[in-house]
Amino acid sequence: MKEWLRKVMTGRYGVDQLSHALLILSIILMVLGAIFRVGILNNLAMIVLVLSYFRVFSKNINKRYQENMKFLNWWNPIKSKFYNFKNKIKQSKTHKFFKCPSCNKQLRVPRGKGKIKITCPNCHTKFEARS
Ligand SMILES: [Zn+2]
């Protein structure tokens, strides 16, 4: 079985982040289609699923690699924004967040210190705020 799989996958692209994302997207579409009873979502899910498998078994490795890079360039900033948001919620009990009034950089200070002077580490602008 393993030998068979190795033979089939020789020279083929394999799984990457984009095919993972397409798989997840097709599952989401299927679930949404089932909940809202919209048939077109199921068709869409099948198309996305086929596309995902097509990429995994594709022999045009260079092109698939380029697609994945494009996807990651689009996805990574979204992902890091999400993680930053999650971190902010986690730290909101112990820290307060401010935006620098001149460069808009996100600044974090410990809570409960009263009125404090904050110096932006990025542009060295000083401003007062209540922590
Ligand atoms: Zn600044």
Side-chain angles (χ1 to χ4, degrees), residues 88-123:
K88 226 167 139 178
I89 290 175
K90 239 185 191 172
Q91 297 175 348
S92 65
K93 269 186 186 163
T94 53
H95 292 82
K96 208 163 178 181
F97 293 86
F98 296 99
K99 253 188 187 163
C100 170
S102 86
C103 73
N104 272 334
K105 190 178 167 63
Q106 187 87 240
L107 305 171
R108 192 189 71 163
V109 297
R111 267 186 193 277
K113 304 277 182 204
K115 207 170 187 182
I116 53 168
K117 255 200 184 120
I118 300 170
T119 307
C120 171
N122 193 38
C123 66

Side-chain angles (χ1 to χ4, degrees), residues 11-92:
R12 296 185 193 269
Y13 182 65
V15 180
D16 64 4
Q17 290 92 339
L18 179 54
S19 24
H20 258 285
L22 289 173
L23 193 67
I24 291 166
L25 178 66
S26 81
I27 292 168
I28 291 169
L29 288 172
M30 263 183 237
V31 170
L32 287 177
I35 291 171
F36 297 109
R37 293 173 188 279
V38 183
I40 190 113
L41 286 178
N42 287 327
N43 297 340
L44 219 64
M46 280 317 288
I47 292 169
V48 173
L49 194 66
V50 167
L51 197 69
S52 171
Y53 274 96
F54 163 77
R55 293 191 73 261
V56 171
F57 291 106
S58 170
K59 284 187 171 174
N60 194 345
I61 290 169
N62 195 36
K63 199 161 182 201
R64 300 290 88 81
Y65 177 78
Q66 297 294 335
E67 287 168 0
N68 193 46
M69 283 297 122
K70 268 187 201 160
F71 167 72
L72 289 179
N73 279 341
W74 171 78
W75 172 243
N76 280 340
I78 297 172
K79 195 169 117 186
S80 76
K81 251 186 201 162
F82 175 75
Y83 276 110
N84 283 347
F85 183 69
K86 215 171 107 187
N87 261 338
K88 226 167 139 178
I89 290 175
K90 239 185 191 172
Q91 297 175 348
S92 65

